[in-house]
Each structure stands twice: as C-alpha cells, then as structure tokens.
Amino acid sequence: MERRRDLGDGRALLVHITEAGRRIGRSRHDGRTRRPELLPARVPPGRCGENAEELPALTCLADLAQRRP
C-alpha cells in the first residue's frame, strides 16, 4: 500500500495498492477458491448439519468460482 497526496484536495491522502499487495491478494483468493474441498474440515464438530438446506446454493457458487477465468 502506498499513500499519495490528493492533488484536488491538499487535506486528503489517496491510498493505492502496490503490485506486491495485489500479488498477495490474488494468492490468498486463489488459495481459497482452488481447494474448496478442504473447507468442510474446518467446520467445528456438531455444526455440519445446521445449514444443510443451503448446500445446493453453496455448491453452485463453488462451481461458478472454479469456472472463472
């Protein structure tokens, strides 16, 4: 992240993401979307059945995330 002066308003600072920050963000996002099969292991014991009715929607979202270019 880097801060720059706002040329239109000297009182303000503009915050810009750096290329290094962009790479970190992509890496974290890719890590979460590439391995959705690992997510069930992170659900606390006894909570797996609580949201069973939402599973079809979550499966659809995971499929869409996998197809993303």
Side-chain angles (χ1 to χ4, degrees):
M1 172 177 68
E2 64 184 30
R3 295 179 185 141
R4 300 178 190 162
R5 290 242 175 252
D6 182 346
L7 299 177
D9 183 348
R11 302 167 293 170
L13 288 175
L14 301 174
V15 178
H16 295 269
I17 189 167
T18 61
E19 187 53 38
R22 206 173 263 100
R23 281 192 303 271
I24 290 169
R26 274 193 301 268
S27 169
R28 289 183 177 173
H29 178 266
D30 290 348
R32 287 189 305 268
T33 59
R34 282 189 191 151
R35 305 289 308 267
E37 69 276 9
L38 298 177
L39 293 176
R42 298 179 67 186
V43 176
R47 306 247 353 238
C48 289
E50 290 181 5
N51 298 313
E53 68 277 358
E54 296 165 2
L55 190 56
L58 293 172
T59 301
C60 178
L61 290 173
D63 289 343
L64 289 171
Q66 292 297 320
R67 289 186 215 150
R68 195 184 54 134

